[in-house]
Amino acid sequence: MKNESVVTEFILLGIPHTEGLEAMLFALFLSFYIFTLTGNLLILLAIVSSTQLHTPMYFFLCKLSVCDIFFPSVSSPKMLFYLSGNSRAISYAGCVSQVFFYHFLGCTECFLFTVMAYDRFVAICHPLRYTVIMSHRACSILAAGTSFFGCIQATFLTTLTFQLPYCGPNEVDYYFCDIPVMLKLACADTSSLEMVGFISVGLMPLSCFLLILTSYSCIVGSILQIRSAEGRRRAFSTCSAHLTAILLSFMPVVLIYLQPTPNPWLNATVQVLNNLVTPMLNPLIYSLRNKDVKSSLRRVLQQVTLLSEKR
């Protein structure tokens, strides 16, 4: 990646219109961050420790929890650092890293939700062939594919952003480095790049969403044909959790990147929800409506309690 910039660092101005609220925001965001890490780590422990949960659906849920641990970690540590009264400066390389990893993890999750929808489609529409289609090898390839294509998308968007010269203002009117705010600081015409980025950022989630919609259209048709009321309830329960998580992840993308006229304060609010609140809610969404995960979580918590009592 060629760096023609004379800017060596950027200054993060933070969330617009929140001057004087740093202490309150620090406490609030730190709480969200801790709950996010704790919840997703517990989901990981619950799945890994229970052989009953060693199935494709929970394998992908494990990867989602890993993404939900790292995704808020892209922007939250630096944000908490400057909210506690420290420097708001971020190096050029740090800014590039934030843009890359934010979009890498975000795109990976987007592809992962698509794969999870396909997994539910096979499980409900083709139950007799499920173990053959969703073999260990197939699951590994699908999981690796989500990261591979996420990396390609993130590399493309990051290269697109930082091939521009940054030679003047270095104040980022946001709480972390992201494409829309970085393009405003470039010392060049960004209109064509904005259009390419707009198409790229819009096309990928739209394609994933259409594939998810196709999977769930088939799923709903199959569920309605199930004669057992209990069977229908279980199928709808599993799918509703997945759909809730999908909506929470896709809606911020639409609001932030596909706005005709961006609103900095609205964008920052939605980004905070997307970066901290959604990853915190995903463990609750998937565990509260799932008896197997809840029973495994109870066992994990009991073991942790016993270990702490012995000490």
Side-chain angles (χ1 to χ4, degrees), residues 10-165:
F10 296 96
I11 307 299
L12 299 172
L13 298 182
I15 300 172
H17 314 302
T18 58
E19 294 80 6
L21 301 174
E22 285 82 5
M24 186 188 75
L25 290 175
F26 175 81
L28 181 65
F29 294 153
L30 180 62
S31 302
F32 282 158
Y33 189 46
I34 290 170
F35 279 124
T36 297
L37 298 182
T38 305
N40 283 289
L41 282 170
L42 283 173
I43 288 288
L44 278 173
L45 285 171
I47 293 171
V48 170
S49 64
S50 175
T51 53
Q52 187 183 354
L53 301 180
H54 292 179
T55 62
M57 182 177 80
Y58 295 110
F59 171 70
F60 295 127
L61 183 55
C62 253
K63 178 155 188 180
L64 180 64
S65 289
V66 171
C67 287
D68 281 342
I69 287 169
F70 286 105
F71 188 61
S73 301
V74 172
S75 58
S76 296
K78 181 62 183 177
M79 178 176 64
L80 293 169
F81 182 74
Y82 68 69
L83 283 175
S84 62
N86 294 291
S87 172
R88 291 175 177 266
I90 182 170
S91 67
Y92 185 92
C95 205
V96 174
S97 298
Q98 278 197 339
V99 171
F100 174 79
F101 284 107
Y102 179 79
H103 287 278
F104 166 60
L105 292 163
C107 292
T108 298
E109 280 204 16
C110 190
F111 292 128
L112 187 59
F113 280 126
T114 310
V115 168
M116 290 171 79
Y118 174 70
D119 171 68
R120 291 300 83 207
F121 162 74
V122 177
I124 293 170
C125 299
H126 304 283
L128 298 178
R129 298 174 57 201
Y130 180 69
T131 53
V132 176
I133 296 171
M134 299 304 291
S135 62
H136 290 299
R137 184 171 177 272
C139 289
S140 299
I141 291 170
L142 287 170
T146 61
S147 296
F148 176 73
F149 289 110
C151 184
I152 289 175
Q153 176 80 347
T155 302
F156 171 70
L157 293 172
T158 307
T159 305
L160 197 71
T161 304
F162 289 97
Q163 69 172 346
L164 296 166

Side-chain angles (χ1 to χ4, degrees), residues 80-296:
L80 293 169
F81 182 74
Y82 68 69
L83 283 175
S84 62
N86 294 291
S87 172
R88 291 175 177 266
I90 182 170
S91 67
Y92 185 92
C95 205
V96 174
S97 298
Q98 278 197 339
V99 171
F100 174 79
F101 284 107
Y102 179 79
H103 287 278
F104 166 60
L105 292 163
C107 292
T108 298
E109 280 204 16
C110 190
F111 292 128
L112 187 59
F113 280 126
T114 310
V115 168
M116 290 171 79
Y118 174 70
D119 171 68
R120 291 300 83 207
F121 162 74
V122 177
I124 293 170
C125 299
H126 304 283
L128 298 178
R129 298 174 57 201
Y130 180 69
T131 53
V132 176
I133 296 171
M134 299 304 291
S135 62
H136 290 299
R137 184 171 177 272
C139 289
S140 299
I141 291 170
L142 287 170
T146 61
S147 296
F148 176 73
F149 289 110
C151 184
I152 289 175
Q153 176 80 347
T155 302
F156 171 70
L157 293 172
T158 307
T159 305
L160 197 71
T161 304
F162 289 97
Q163 69 172 346
L164 296 166
Y166 292 88
C167 53
N170 69 337
E171 291 186 339
V172 179
D173 191 18
Y174 214 42
Y175 69 95
F176 77 105
C177 297
D178 197 13
I179 295 169
V181 288
M182 295 310 300
L183 291 180
K184 291 179 184 177
L185 301 178
C187 305
D189 179 29
T190 62
S191 54
S192 58
L193 291 176
E194 283 175 8
M195 183 56 67
V196 173
F198 179 85
I199 293 168
S200 177
V201 172
L203 191 61
M204 187 274 295
L206 180 62
S207 303
C208 290
F209 188 75
L210 289 174
L211 289 170
I212 291 168
L213 197 62
T214 303
S215 294
Y216 273 97
S217 298
C218 298
I219 287 169
V220 169
S222 293
I223 289 174
L224 293 175
Q225 293 175 12
I226 298 174
R227 294 181 180 180
S228 163
E230 177 63 18
R232 284 198 300 271
R233 189 195 63 77
R234 284 178 63 86
F236 270 122
S237 178
T238 303
C239 294
S240 63
H242 186 207
L243 283 171
T244 304
I246 288 168
L247 289 173
L248 286 171
S249 296
F250 277 80
M251 287 307 294
V253 175
V254 175
L255 289 170
I256 295 163
Y257 297 104
L258 304 182
Q259 289 181 77
T261 53
N263 182 321
W265 187 84
L266 175 65
N267 286 359
T269 305
V270 174
Q271 282 279 32
V272 167
L273 292 173
N274 188 41
N275 291 6
L276 284 170
V277 180
T278 300
M280 180 182 71
L281 292 177
N282 278 343
L284 295 174
I285 291 167
Y286 282 101
S287 62
L288 289 178
R289 304 193 67 173
N290 190 304
K291 291 179 181 178
D292 295 331
V293 173
K294 281 194 285 188
S295 62
S296 184

